[in-house]
Amino acid sequence: MFKIAVLAGDGIGREIVPEAVATLKLIAEKYDCAFEFTEALISEDAYEKYGHPLPPQTLEICKQADAVLLGAVGSPKMDLLPPELRPERAALLPLRKELGLFANLRPVIVYDELVAASTLKPEVVRGVDILTFRELTGGLYFGPKKRTTLADGTEEAVDTLVYNTKEIERIVRLAFEAARSRRKKLTSVDKANVLESSRLWRETVLKIAPEHPDVELNHMYVDNCAMQLVRWPGQFDVIVTENMFGDILTDQASMLSGSLGMLASASIGGKVALYEPAHGSAPDIAGQDLANPLATILSAALMLRYSFKLEEAAAAVEKAVRQVLADGYRTADIMAEGCKKVGTKEMGELVRNRI
Ligand code: IPM
Ligand code: MG
């Protein structure tokens, strides 16, 4: 029996998470395993009930679980709160930190069926299969921050980018190991021509490289990487990078596969892993049965694979998603000519019908 904490969160999180939960329930029936789901409040609902977007009860439920399924946080109402109560800073980041989730895996896979959904040319995106390791508990997101008013009244703000060798080593090792089981290419992305933290990053990567002689390693500056991702994404296998570079590059890379609505993610490193789509809460389309549930369903597949070692079940979910796309069903974000447009719920059902 695996225990899953379910945190739907805000906006479309409330629509896409139930689709992933229903998919997991079906998997339990078909693959002879059992899941126990415990719902917990995060962000707006939590703030309204307990006065904080990440109440201790929620954190405890997550810590007691075997894995966490998260929808998305962020809402117009929460945007009005002071920064220290905003869900991004007061719920999502502390949750990642508390669970020790230092590695965020974001697979960017361009399904043949979705080649036309990308804004890039088919010959550029066809066959792309990139796995990004984004460092998740360090860097600018967590370094000391400060606001000061200078003597002449000018406002000044400071964010600090801190990394130590231990933090770099552990994620780089994971990335090397992943590359080993794939096409054996690792690209480490930094800005070592300018940043001291990046120079340490690169030195540390070079120090670890001899442990993995079978993996071809290259280093790339982040600006060049942003360019190469749209010029020739097929050159990448595994990418490893620090927190903020990873945040930006993975949003960009998601468009290779047609939509941010396709980008799943797994955050690992601690006892309990967390699975969430890489996209946000999309308040503009929330509650209208418009959101694409596939990134969340694919995140559930990653949970089956990484947390529960149920590879066959994980592959079955991924295959069902492919099949739905091959059968011509699309949510609005990946809609193409000649396809059939469906809503969130129907998309979830179509996937489950194929498992
Ligand atoms: C992501 C999101 C978050 C991040 C936001 C919501 C704080 O953009 O998971 O990529 O920047 O990490
Ligand atoms: Mg992001």
Side-chain angles (χ1 to χ4, degrees), residues 212-224:
H212 307 86
D214 51 331
V215 175
E216 181 194 332
L217 167 72
N218 71 316
H219 304 273
M220 201 177 267
Y221 294 140
V222 61
D223 47 350
N224 185 25

PDB file of all heavy atoms in Angstrom, residues 212-224:
ATOM      1  N   HIS A 212      32.375   8.976 -14.219  1.00  0.00           N
ATOM      2  CA  HIS A 212      31.453   8.519 -15.277  1.00  0.00           C
ATOM      3  C   HIS A 212      32.109   8.646 -16.652  1.00  0.00           C
ATOM      4  O   HIS A 212      31.654   9.430 -17.487  1.00  0.00           O
ATOM      5  CB  HIS A 212      30.159   9.331 -15.237  1.00  0.00           C
ATOM      6  CG  HIS A 212      29.513   9.358 -13.899  1.00  0.00           C
ATOM      7  ND1 HIS A 212      29.845  10.277 -12.929  1.00  0.00           N
ATOM      8  CD2 HIS A 212      28.582   8.553 -13.344  1.00  0.00           C
ATOM      9  CE1 HIS A 212      29.136  10.043 -11.833  1.00  0.00           C
ATOM     10  NE2 HIS A 212      28.357   9.002 -12.064  1.00  0.00           N
ATOM     11  N   PRO A 213      33.163   7.871 -16.884  1.00  0.00           N
ATOM     12  CA  PRO A 213      33.916   8.016 -18.127  1.00  0.00           C
ATOM     13  C   PRO A 213      33.111   7.656 -19.373  1.00  0.00           C
ATOM     14  O   PRO A 213      33.448   8.093 -20.475  1.00  0.00           O
ATOM     15  CB  PRO A 213      35.094   7.046 -17.943  1.00  0.00           C
ATOM     16  CG  PRO A 213      34.650   6.090 -16.890  1.00  0.00           C
ATOM     17  CD  PRO A 213      33.686   6.809 -16.020  1.00  0.00           C
ATOM     18  N   ASP A 214      32.032   6.882 -19.176  1.00  0.00           N
ATOM     19  CA  ASP A 214      31.223   6.464 -20.329  1.00  0.00           C
ATOM     20  C   ASP A 214      30.221   7.531 -20.752  1.00  0.00           C
ATOM     21  O   ASP A 214      29.519   7.372 -21.746  1.00  0.00           O
ATOM     22  CB  ASP A 214      30.490   5.158 -19.997  1.00  0.00           C
ATOM     23  CG  ASP A 214      29.721   5.252 -18.676  1.00  0.00           C
ATOM     24  OD1 ASP A 214      30.160   6.018 -17.783  1.00  0.00           O
ATOM     25  OD2 ASP A 214      28.687   4.576 -18.546  1.00  0.00           O
ATOM     26  N   VAL A 215      30.125   8.631 -19.981  1.00  0.00           N
ATOM     27  CA  VAL A 215      29.184   9.700 -20.345  1.00  0.00           C
ATOM     28  C   VAL A 215      29.951  10.860 -20.977  1.00  0.00           C
ATOM     29  O   VAL A 215      30.936  11.339 -20.424  1.00  0.00           O
ATOM     30  CB  VAL A 215      28.405  10.200 -19.099  1.00  0.00           C
ATOM     31  CG1 VAL A 215      27.525  11.389 -19.453  1.00  0.00           C
ATOM     32  CG2 VAL A 215      27.569   9.065 -18.504  1.00  0.00           C
ATOM     33  N   GLU A 216      29.475  11.286 -22.133  1.00  0.00           N
ATOM     34  CA  GLU A 216      30.111  12.427 -22.802  1.00  0.00           C
ATOM     35  C   GLU A 216      29.595  13.718 -22.161  1.00  0.00           C
ATOM     36  O   GLU A 216      28.400  13.986 -22.143  1.00  0.00           O
ATOM     37  CB  GLU A 216      29.731  12.366 -24.291  1.00  0.00           C
ATOM     38  CG  GLU A 216      30.329  13.465 -25.132  1.00  0.00           C
ATOM     39  CD  GLU A 216      29.635  13.534 -26.504  1.00  0.00           C
ATOM     40  OE1 GLU A 216      29.120  12.499 -27.003  1.00  0.00           O
ATOM     41  OE2 GLU A 216      29.583  14.643 -27.063  1.00  0.00           O
ATOM     42  N   LEU A 217      30.525  14.488 -21.619  1.00  0.00           N
ATOM     43  CA  LEU A 217      30.139  15.705 -20.896  1.00  0.00           C
ATOM     44  C   LEU A 217      30.473  16.940 -21.710  1.00  0.00           C
ATOM     45  O   LEU A 217      31.553  17.028 -22.294  1.00  0.00           O
ATOM     46  CB  LEU A 217      30.904  15.743 -19.561  1.00  0.00           C
ATOM     47  CG  LEU A 217      30.876  17.072 -18.791  1.00  0.00           C
ATOM     48  CD1 LEU A 217      29.501  17.335 -18.177  1.00  0.00           C
ATOM     49  CD2 LEU A 217      31.950  17.081 -17.691  1.00  0.00           C
ATOM     50  N   ASN A 218      29.553  17.891 -21.756  1.00  0.00           N
ATOM     51  CA  ASN A 218      29.954  19.202 -22.265  1.00  0.00           C
ATOM     52  C   ASN A 218      29.355  20.310 -21.416  1.00  0.00           C
ATOM     53  O   ASN A 218      28.396  20.109 -20.677  1.00  0.00           O
ATOM     54  CB  ASN A 218      29.640  19.364 -23.764  1.00  0.00           C
ATOM     55  CG  ASN A 218      28.178  19.497 -24.030  1.00  0.00           C
ATOM     56  OD1 ASN A 218      27.369  18.771 -23.475  1.00  0.00           O
ATOM     57  ND2 ASN A 218      27.811  20.442 -24.872  1.00  0.00           N
ATOM     58  N   HIS A 219      29.972  21.468 -21.458  1.00  0.00           N
ATOM     59  CA  HIS A 219      29.532  22.627 -20.685  1.00  0.00           C
ATOM     60  C   HIS A 219      28.974  23.651 -21.655  1.00  0.00           C
ATOM     61  O   HIS A 219      29.493  23.801 -22.752  1.00  0.00           O
ATOM     62  CB  HIS A 219      30.702  23.257 -19.928  1.00  0.00           C
ATOM     63  CG  HIS A 219      31.409  22.301 -19.034  1.00  0.00           C
ATOM     64  ND1 HIS A 219      31.026  22.064 -17.742  1.00  0.00           N
ATOM     65  CD2 HIS A 219      32.467  21.501 -19.264  1.00  0.00           C
ATOM     66  CE1 HIS A 219      31.825  21.159 -17.214  1.00  0.00           C
ATOM     67  NE2 HIS A 219      32.715  20.808 -18.106  1.00  0.00           N
ATOM     68  N   MET A 220      27.936  24.330 -21.219  1.00  0.00           N
ATOM     69  CA  MET A 220      27.335  25.331 -22.101  1.00  0.00           C
ATOM     70  C   MET A 220      26.906  26.532 -21.269  1.00  0.00           C
ATOM     71  O   MET A 220      26.345  26.355 -20.185  1.00  0.00           O
ATOM     72  CB  MET A 220      26.117  24.698 -22.788  1.00  0.00           C
ATOM     73  CG  MET A 220      25.687  25.378 -24.050  1.00  0.00           C
ATOM     74  SD  MET A 220      24.306  24.477 -24.811  1.00  0.00           S
ATOM     75  CE  MET A 220      25.181  23.395 -25.921  1.00  0.00           C
ATOM     76  N   TYR A 221      27.158  27.727 -21.767  1.00  0.00           N
ATOM     77  CA  TYR A 221      26.664  28.916 -21.080  1.00  0.00           C
ATOM     78  C   TYR A 221      25.148  28.973 -21.258  1.00  0.00           C
ATOM     79  O   TYR A 221      24.617  28.576 -22.302  1.00  0.00           O
ATOM     80  CB  TYR A 221      27.304  30.186 -21.651  1.00  0.00           C
ATOM     81  CG  TYR A 221      28.784  30.288 -21.407  1.00  0.00           C
ATOM     82  CD1 TYR A 221      29.640  30.772 -22.390  1.00  0.00           C
ATOM     83  CD2 TYR A 221      29.331  29.910 -20.179  1.00  0.00           C
ATOM     84  CE1 TYR A 221      31.009  30.871 -22.176  1.00  0.00           C
ATOM     85  CE2 TYR A 221      30.691  30.000 -19.953  1.00  0.00           C
ATOM     86  CZ  TYR A 221      31.529  30.480 -20.948  1.00  0.00           C
ATOM     87  OH  TYR A 221      32.865  30.571 -20.719  1.00  0.00           O
ATOM     88  N   VAL A 222      24.478  29.508 -20.259  1.00  0.00           N
ATOM     89  CA  VAL A 222      23.013  29.464 -20.265  1.00  0.00           C
ATOM     90  C   VAL A 222      22.410  30.235 -21.442  1.00  0.00           C
ATOM     91  O   VAL A 222      21.402  29.813 -22.024  1.00  0.00           O
ATOM     92  CB  VAL A 222      22.441  29.948 -18.901  1.00  0.00           C
ATOM     93  CG1 VAL A 222      22.827  31.386 -18.593  1.00  0.00           C
ATOM     94  CG2 VAL A 222      20.936  29.774 -18.850  1.00  0.00           C
ATOM     95  N   ASP A 223      23.039  31.332 -21.835  1.00  0.00           N
ATOM     96  CA  ASP A 223      22.488  32.085 -22.969  1.00  0.00           C
ATOM     97  C   ASP A 223      22.612  31.279 -24.257  1.00  0.00           C
ATOM     98  O   ASP A 223      21.688  31.207 -25.068  1.00  0.00           O
ATOM     99  CB  ASP A 223      23.153  33.470 -23.103  1.00  0.00           C
ATOM    100  CG  ASP A 223      24.666  33.436 -23.023  1.00  0.00           C
ATOM    101  OD1 ASP A 223      25.247  32.383 -22.669  1.00  0.00           O
ATOM    102  OD2 ASP A 223      25.303  34.473 -23.314  1.00  0.00           O
ATOM    103  N   ASN A 224      23.742  30.611 -24.413  1.00  0.00           N
ATOM    104  CA  ASN A 224      23.928  29.751 -25.574  1.00  0.00           C
ATOM    105  C   ASN A 224      22.932  28.591 -25.546  1.00  0.00           C
ATOM    106  O   ASN A 224      22.342  28.230 -26.568  1.00  0.00           O
ATOM    107  CB  ASN A 224      25.377  29.224 -25.586  1.00  0.00           C
ATOM    108  CG  ASN A 224      25.687  28.413 -26.828  1.00  0.00           C
ATOM    109  OD1 ASN A 224      25.054  28.579 -27.872  1.00  0.00           O
ATOM    110  ND2 ASN A 224      26.640  27.518 -26.722  1.00  0.00           N
TER     111      ASN A 224
END
